């Protein structure tokens, strides 16, 4: 890959924490659990190394990942590594999303899970990365000359009940001044009903949290239209839309988080050259390239930019503009937007 894409400052708005786990870390953790006899390592090894997973297999893999990553220490470690990996490829602003998990057997509550994530953000420091956490910006990491803003979105899993979704929203509100800025609805798209989540999502929005929804990963016109009528701050994927849904989306101008490799790997889109990126881009609809699950899909944000550039014939000026414009779709406060604008202005001078 042309290292220009790596040097390009980038904004990542759709990255699931546990889906972004390093393959090497996942293998190491699975091997350790295998040695303890908790799992049969060879079962994991096969699925971790498998490349072309269907959407169903991806969700099976997530269940496996969750077995491997349930303790606080591991969550902290994964968070640290994921932020370092994004910073290393010049992601300057990251909205990291994760589903707070409760596991009574090890004393994990949704709150202690998120505290472990925050601990991971604070521990982003090594010989190549320094962290500078100011009191008014708990998740601003200075990595040498690199700087990455990190904000958290708490995900509601589609398997959850209305009460569990509400619990996640309340937790997000309690952690608002610690870098939590919004709510995501995600999980297996064939599971759960939209109506289950509406009360919690409405409450989140009334209380000043931003909302993004996984929308249209499978054909479900009734749900897609209800989601668009909700007017979320952004949606992810938008793969299985029909004419009416496209019309609604385009008139709403809701920004779309585009995950090319993820959509191809899960066979949600048949091939990248027919991806709806092309049409949305041509029509100037707000879009942002994202990774979804950089570990699970063996990709990086730089790679997603390189793929879009080569597939859709976009030159470096167009790719720079695509990366830059994403500042407008972030959920963080205006002050961060202004900082990002400055970062892109200065990058424009060096990348020319
Ligand atoms: C829907 C997805 C997803 O929350 O444990 N997740 N949900 N569609 C996708 N695209 C294929 N990729 C990931 O990260 C992993 C969880 O994120 C959701 C799933 O619920 C998965 O279990 P966290 O950090």
């Amino acid at each position: 890959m042309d290292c220009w894409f790596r040097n390009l400052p980038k904004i990542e708005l759709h990255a699931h924490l546990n889906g972004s786990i390093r393959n090497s870390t996942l293998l190491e953790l699975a091997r350790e659990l295998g040695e303890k006899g908790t799992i049969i390592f060879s079962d994991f090894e096969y699925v971790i190394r498998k490349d072309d997973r269907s959407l169903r297999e991806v969700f099976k893999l997530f269940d496996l990942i969750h077995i491997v990553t349930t303790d606080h220490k591991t969550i902290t470690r994964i968070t640290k590594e994921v932020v370092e990996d994004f910073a290393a490829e010049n992601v300057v602003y990251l909205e990291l999303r994760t589903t707070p998990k409760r596991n009574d057997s090890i004393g994990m509550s949704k709150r202690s899970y998120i505290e472990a994530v925050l601990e991971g953000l604070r521990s982003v420091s090594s010989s190549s990365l320094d962290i500078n956490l100011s009191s008014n910006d708990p998740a601003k990491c200075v990595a040498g000359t690199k700087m990455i803003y990190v904000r958290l979105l708490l995900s509601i899993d589609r398997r959850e009940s209305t009460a569990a979704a509400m619990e996640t929203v309340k937790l997000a509100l309690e952690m608002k001044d610690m870098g939590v800025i919004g709510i995501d609805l995600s999980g297996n798209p064939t599971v759960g009903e939209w109506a289950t989540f509406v009360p919690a999502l409405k409450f989140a929005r009334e209380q000043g949290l931003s909302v993004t929804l996984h929308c249209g990963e499978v054909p479900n016109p009734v749900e897609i239209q209800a989601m668009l009528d909700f007017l979320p701050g952004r949606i992810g994927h938008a793969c299985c839309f029909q004419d009416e849904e496209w019309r609604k989306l385009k008139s709403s101008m809701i920004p779309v988080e585009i995950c090319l490799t993820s959509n191809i790997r899960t066979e949600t889109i048949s091939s990248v050259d027919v991806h709806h990126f092309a049409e949305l881009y041509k029509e100037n609809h707000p879009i942002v390239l994202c990774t979804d699950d950089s570990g699970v899909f063996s990709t990086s944000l730089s790679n997603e930019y390189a793929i879009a550039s080569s597939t859709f014939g976009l030159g470096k000026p167009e790719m720079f503009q695509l990366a830059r414009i994403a500042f407008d779709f972030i959920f963080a406060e205006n002050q961060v937007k202004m900082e990002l604008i400055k970062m892109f202005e200065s990058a424009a001078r060096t990348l020319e």
Side-chain angles (χ1 to χ4, degrees), residues 128-274:
S128 59
L129 287 172
D130 289 325
I131 189 162
N132 177 5
L133 298 175
S134 67
S135 56
N136 60 358
D137 194 349
K140 175 180 172 182
C141 314
V142 179
T145 54
K146 287 179 184 169
M147 215 285 301
I148 181 165
Y149 284 96
V150 185
R151 293 291 185 272
L152 292 179
L153 305 178
L154 304 196
S155 299
I156 295 169
D157 188 316
R158 294 184 60 114
R159 288 177 292 199
E160 290 181 295
S161 64
T162 302
M166 197 60 99
E167 191 194 340
T168 296
V169 171
K170 288 189 176 148
L171 180 61
L173 287 168
E174 284 164 27
M175 297 191 143
K176 237 174 144 184
D177 59 351
M178 295 175 214
V180 176
I181 53 168
I183 296 290
D184 159 54
L185 176 67
S186 58
N188 189 335
T190 62
V191 171
E193 295 286 330
W194 165 243
T196 307
F197 314 110
V198 173
L201 294 170
K202 270 196 177 148
F203 179 65
R205 196 160 55 187
E206 281 160 17
Q207 297 297 313
L209 291 167
S210 297
V211 173
T212 179
L213 305 173
H214 281 64
C215 179
E217 287 188 279
V218 291
N220 185 345
V222 174
E223 179 179 278
I224 295 170
Q225 293 197 31
M227 283 183 166
L228 294 175
D229 288 339
F230 181 81
L231 292 177
R234 297 193 305 258
I235 58 167
H237 300 295
C239 294
C240 304
F241 278 34
Q242 292 166 3
D243 291 352
E244 181 52 29
E245 288 97 82
W246 283 127
R247 258 196 301 277
K248 237 184 217 293
L249 174 70
K250 287 175 187 172
S251 66
S252 71
M253 293 302 272
I254 297 167
V256 182
E257 304 150 357
I258 300 270
C259 309
L260 297 172
T261 298
S262 160
N263 296 161
I264 301 306
R265 286 285 175 86
T266 57
E267 295 167 27
T268 317
I269 299 289
S270 58
S271 84
V272 69
D273 49 304
V274 298

Side-chain angles (χ1 to χ4, degrees), residues 37-181:
T38 317
I39 58 160
I40 300 165
F41 175 62
S42 53
D43 289 355
F44 279 76
E45 193 174 13
Y46 163 76
V47 75
I48 292 167
R49 292 191 196 277
K50 189 170 190 280
D51 227 14
D52 49 346
R53 302 180 189 102
S54 66
L55 194 61
R56 189 183 289 267
E57 284 173 326
V58 162
F59 283 98
K60 263 197 187 149
L61 180 62
F62 281 127
D63 288 342
L64 297 182
I65 291 177
H66 290 160
I67 298 171
V68 176
T69 61
T70 31
D71 68 284
H72 294 104
K73 208 172 92 237
T74 307
I75 298 300
T76 298
R77 170 185 172 180
I78 294 167
T79 306
K80 174 181 184 286
E81 291 180 353
V82 166
V83 173
E84 287 176 353
D85 290 348
F86 278 115
E89 59 153 342
N90 279 304
V91 170
V92 291
Y93 176 91
L94 165 65
E95 276 176 26
L96 194 57
R97 55 185 76 189
T98 194
T99 322
K101 291 163 196 85
R102 196 177 139 184
N103 183 349
D104 293 337
S105 67
I106 56 153
M108 181 185 279
S109 62
K110 285 189 171 188
R111 168 177 275 279
S112 72
Y113 176 95
I114 295 300
E115 278 164 355
V117 171
L118 290 169
E119 180 60 30
L121 294 184
R122 281 190 293 270
S123 66
V124 176
S125 69
S126 69
S127 53
S128 59
L129 287 172
D130 289 325
I131 189 162
N132 177 5
L133 298 175
S134 67
S135 56
N136 60 358
D137 194 349
K140 175 180 172 182
C141 314
V142 179
T145 54
K146 287 179 184 169
M147 215 285 301
I148 181 165
Y149 284 96
V150 185
R151 293 291 185 272
L152 292 179
L153 305 178
L154 304 196
S155 299
I156 295 169
D157 188 316
R158 294 184 60 114
R159 288 177 292 199
E160 290 181 295
S161 64
T162 302
M166 197 60 99
E167 191 194 340
T168 296
V169 171
K170 288 189 176 148
L171 180 61
L173 287 168
E174 284 164 27
M175 297 191 143
K176 237 174 144 184
D177 59 351
M178 295 175 214
V180 176
I181 53 168

